[in-house]
């Protein structure tokens, strides 16, 4: 089991412990686990601050969008529940990159906390049930149902879908203010990259896809593709 799967397991343990199903009441989990939530203004753009040794989370009072607040609290709960996280952690939930000497580098602990939050709020097994029920009706309908049922943000839903969707599902996401498309590819889906240009990938997928859907979800423009799934390792080995 890799670290990311271990993190998902920690989140599922919390859900099982308190017999939780979406929408998850994150504040109640904090109360049950005797973790203090303190609300404070923060002028540095930090959304939340975890004091892991004291079981305390300080959250920015400027976070008034409820789905964002719930994800931020779930993210901080991840820092507390993941055993190899320690000390004090300052976070912008959902962002897991840091700037070091002008380079954008992955912050593994922040990524792990995001994975924990996603699994807690939208359990993989639950998301898979939603995919089976709603994907045939359209990608936009699927996303809307998940976000409304789990009371989560659209971007958090995109991450949950990338993990839960079967092989052969790819979607590109972009806000009007973004310069580049963000690519989400389901597990075991083979993609081709030309210098990381999403537009080139789209040209290729336009030719080979079985299904394509363009839509606007919340503030995001979305292009969804369904292609033939990759063969399993067992099939490849047999062949």
């Amino acid at each position: 089991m890799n670290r990311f799967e271990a993190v998902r397991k920690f989140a599922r343990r919390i859900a099982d412990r308190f017999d939780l199903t979406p929408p998850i009441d994150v504040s109640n989990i904090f109360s049950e686990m005797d973790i203090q939530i303190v609300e404070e203004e923060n002028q540095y753009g930090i959304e939340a601050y975890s004091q892991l040794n004291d079981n305390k989370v300080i959250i920015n009072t400027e976070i008034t969008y409820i789905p964002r607040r719930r994800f931020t609290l779930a993210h901080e709960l991840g820092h507390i529940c993941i055993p190899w996280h320690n000390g004090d952690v300052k976070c912008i939930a959902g962002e897991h990159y840091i700037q070091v000497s002008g380079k954008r580098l992955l912050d593994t602990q922040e990524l792990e906390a995001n994975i924990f939050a996603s699994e807690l709020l939208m359990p993989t097994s639950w998301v898979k049930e939603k995919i089976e029920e709603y994907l045939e009706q359209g990608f936009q309908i699927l996303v809307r149902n998940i976000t409304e049922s789990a009371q989560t943000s659209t971007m958090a839903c995109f991450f949950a879908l990338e993990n839960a969707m079967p092989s052969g599902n790819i979607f590109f996401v972009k806000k009007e203010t973004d310069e580049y498309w963000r690519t989400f590819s389901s597990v075991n889906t083979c993609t081709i990259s030309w210098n990381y240009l999403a537009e080139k990938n789209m040209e290729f997928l336009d030719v080979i896809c079985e299904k394509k859907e363009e839509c606007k979800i919340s503030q995001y423009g979305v292009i969804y593709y369904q292609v033939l799934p990759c063969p399993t390792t067992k099939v490849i080995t047999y062949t």
Side-chain angles (χ1 to χ4, degrees):
M1 180 186 299
N2 62 37
R3 285 175 58 165
F4 294 159
E5 184 52 40
V7 166
R8 292 188 184 279
K9 186 175 182 179
F10 295 143
R12 290 193 290 268
R13 282 179 180 173
I14 295 295
D16 291 342
R17 175 180 171 183
F18 298 108
D19 194 23
L20 302 174
T21 56
I24 306 298
D25 187 343
V26 184
S27 296
N28 188 58
I29 298 175
F30 274 73
S31 178
E32 292 287 341
M33 296 180 67
D34 197 27
I35 301 171
Q36 185 180 5
I37 300 174
V38 179
E39 301 203 25
E40 291 183 359
E41 292 184 5
N42 188 299
Q43 59 180 327
Y44 302 106
I46 297 171
E47 293 187 355
Y49 175 69
S50 293
Q51 294 179 335
L52 306 183
N53 298 328
D54 297 328
N55 271 16
K56 180 187 295 186
V57 168
I58 296 89
I59 188 168
N60 195 330
T61 54
E62 293 182 358
I63 303 178
T64 55
Y65 180 51
I66 298 302
R68 183 68 181 179
R69 174 186 170 85
R70 294 173 71 252
F71 188 88
T72 299
L73 287 174
H75 173 103
E76 298 307 318
L77 183 64
H79 282 307
I80 292 173
C81 293
I82 298 170
W84 54 85
H85 291 201
N86 53 64
D88 294 342
V89 184
K90 300 177 178 65
C91 303
I92 299 177
E95 179 57 62
H96 42 257
Y97 290 92
I98 55 175
Q99 294 286 340
V100 179
S101 300
K103 296 182 179 180
R104 195 165 181 256
L105 302 178
L106 180 69
D107 186 327
T108 305
Q109 286 201 2
E110 288 303 286
L111 175 58
E112 289 170 349
N114 285 336
I115 290 172
F116 179 97
S118 177
E119 185 67 26
L120 179 67
L121 297 175
M122 294 166 286
T124 300
S125 58
W126 180 83
V127 175
K128 287 181 177 179
E129 291 176 359
K130 293 292 184 182
I131 292 169
E132 290 181 4
E133 185 175 358
Y134 291 101
L135 183 56
E136 286 299 317
Q137 300 179 39
F139 187 78
Q140 185 177 26
I141 292 174
L142 171 65
V143 173
R144 183 184 301 123
N145 184 275
I146 291 175
T147 54
E148 290 178 356
S149 299
Q151 297 179 18
T152 54
S153 69
T154 302
M155 182 55 72
C157 176
F158 290 152
F159 281 108
L161 282 171
E162 182 179 42
N163 172 69
M165 294 184 91
S167 175
N169 289 275
I170 304 165
F171 53 99
F172 301 88
V173 174
K174 182 181 179 182
K175 290 192 294 187
E176 291 184 357
T177 55
D178 290 341
E179 186 176 356
Y180 301 106
W181 289 89
R182 187 166 192 165
T183 304
F184 293 85
S185 177
S186 60
V187 178
N188 295 327
T189 298
C190 180
T191 58
I192 300 175
S193 178
W194 289 272
N195 298 322
Y196 302 100
L197 294 176
E199 288 82 359
K200 287 291 185 180
N201 282 302
M202 292 179 199
E203 290 177 13
F204 177 69
L205 291 169
D206 282 340
V207 177
I208 70 165
C209 72
E210 294 188 314
K211 180 179 179 180
K212 177 181 179 181
E213 179 182 342
E214 295 186 55
C215 56
K216 185 173 179 61
I217 304 175
S218 185
Q219 71 267 45
Y220 302 99
V222 178
I223 302 177
Y224 163 76
Y225 292 95
Q226 191 175 84
V227 299
L228 287 172
C230 292
T232 64
T233 303
K234 183 178 180 179
V235 170
I236 293 173
T237 302
Y238 175 81
T239 303

